[in-house]
Amino acid sequence: MIRAGGDDWDDGVVDWAEKQWIGKSLKSEKDKLVAEVIRYVLFKTHQNSGCPIKRDELTQLVTKNYRQRALPAVVINEAKERLSSIFGYEMRELQRSRPSSTNQGRSSQQSVADAKSYILISQLPADVYSKYVEDVNTTHLTGFTFVILGVVHLAGGKIPEENLWHHLRRMGFSDSDEIHPVLGNVKQALEALVQQRYLQKDKVNGPEGSTLFYELAERALDAPVNDRIKEYISQIVNKDAATADVD
């Protein structure tokens, strides 16, 4: 689940006087912290190929020299506003999805420590973003992403690792391929989708041993991305139908 909008003041339990003190006495320091958070988010997003930034990282950045409990929420909220008004980015909070499996033997590979995180989403119209911002050198990664998400979506949103690689091998991808001409290490390219929170991995223990599943995560379930996945699948199906009609 992805949640937009402002953060709560430490879940709503913050002393009113403390908020007033932050707003007045620390204004110049607060502005510097806001600028520091913005720089951190922009550079970290670029450096890590869009991987979510943990809220804990931003909190530590803000509280490095200050101990006011409401300060991180104030700074992060203002950073969100400035990223939107100045840079045209929406800083959205990711609410980490839980694996759908309820098996008592499940051993999740996720850490609860990074349950809250943020990503940047461009607010530019799609055609403008494609023309002036999108890096043509990364379009192959976008294509790979939608191929993977399309396979998982058609499998019902969750697929065993073995089955996923079966489909990928039919498309010319191998889990042992480390020098793919476009993707390089294919296994690492798949793992990047987990780090970027398009997919999540879930190990389920059963009578015959453990099975690793790939499941759609919060970024893939976000309405705009989910709609694009369905559109991508629809285009493939319609293309195949048209080809069949010609034959």
Side-chain angles (χ1 to χ4, degrees):
M1 176 182 177
I2 295 183
R3 184 176 64 200
D7 286 83
D8 294 329
W9 293 77
D10 278 351
D11 297 326
V13 186
V14 177
D15 182 74
W16 180 86
E18 184 178 15
K19 288 188 285 184
Q20 295 298 310
W21 184 76
I22 290 173
K24 296 177 181 178
S25 301
L26 288 179
K27 188 177 186 309
S28 61
E29 288 84 355
K30 176 173 66 71
D31 288 344
K32 292 178 183 177
L33 288 171
V34 170
E36 192 171 350
V37 166
I38 289 173
R39 281 196 300 271
Y40 185 88
V41 170
L42 289 172
F43 282 104
K44 192 74 180 286
T45 297
H46 176 73
Q47 183 182 39
N48 291 349
S49 302
C51 291
I53 298 168
K54 298 175 186 177
R55 180 183 172 85
D56 284 348
E57 293 179 48
L58 302 184
T59 298
Q60 290 173 15
L61 192 67
V62 172
T63 58
K64 184 168 54 178
N65 297 314
Y66 301 95
R67 293 293 178 265
Q68 287 71 32
R69 54 178 176 160
L71 191 56
V74 174
V75 171
I76 291 173
N77 278 338
E78 191 158 329
K80 286 182 179 181
E81 293 174 4
R82 294 190 189 181
L83 279 164
S84 176
S85 61
I86 299 173
F87 296 95
Y89 283 112
E90 178 187 357
M91 182 175 161
R92 300 185 71 176
E93 181 182 301
L94 294 180
Q95 186 62 50
R96 183 170 283 247
S97 302
R98 291 185 178 182
S100 61
S101 173
T102 57
N103 191 312
Q104 295 300 316
R106 177 176 56 81
S107 174
S108 177
Q109 295 189 357
Q110 298 175 357
S111 169
V112 295
D114 59 347
K116 288 187 177 182
S117 55
Y118 296 97
I119 56 171
L120 292 183
I121 298 176
S122 175
Q123 296 175 315
L124 291 173
D127 57 335
V128 176
Y129 182 87
S130 176
K131 186 175 181 180
Y132 297 105
V133 180
E134 190 173 38
D135 185 356
V136 295
N137 296 318
T138 63
T139 53
H140 60 283
L141 294 175
T142 302
F144 179 74
T145 299
F146 276 90
V147 166
I148 298 295
L149 298 184
V151 170
V152 179
H153 178 84
L154 288 172
K158 183 175 183 178
I159 189 171
E161 181 185 35
E162 183 179 346
N163 291 9
L164 177 59
W165 280 112
H166 169 74
H167 290 294
L168 291 178
R169 281 191 288 269
R170 294 180 63 186
M171 291 183 277
F173 300 111
S174 170
D175 57 348
S176 62
D177 192 350
E178 298 182 358
I179 52 172
H180 188 276
V182 176
L183 297 171
N185 189 312
V186 178
K187 203 166 187 178
Q188 287 182 2
L190 178 61
E191 182 62 27
L193 300 185
V194 177
Q195 299 301 319
Q196 294 166 356
R197 297 304 300 160
Y198 288 107
L199 296 173
Q200 59 186 352
K201 293 193 293 187
D202 185 33
K203 184 181 288 185
V204 177
N205 298 321
E208 300 179 0
S210 61
T211 302
L212 185 64
F213 286 85
Y214 282 92
E215 185 173 356
L216 296 178
E218 53 272 11
R219 288 184 83 165
L221 296 172
D222 187 31
V225 175
N226 198 254
D227 289 344
R228 287 177 64 191
I229 296 172
K230 293 175 183 177
E231 182 183 353
Y232 167 78
I233 294 172
S234 177
Q235 289 175 354
I236 298 297
V237 171
N238 291 337
K239 184 178 179 180
D240 289 345
T243 302
D245 290 341
V246 171
D247 295 341

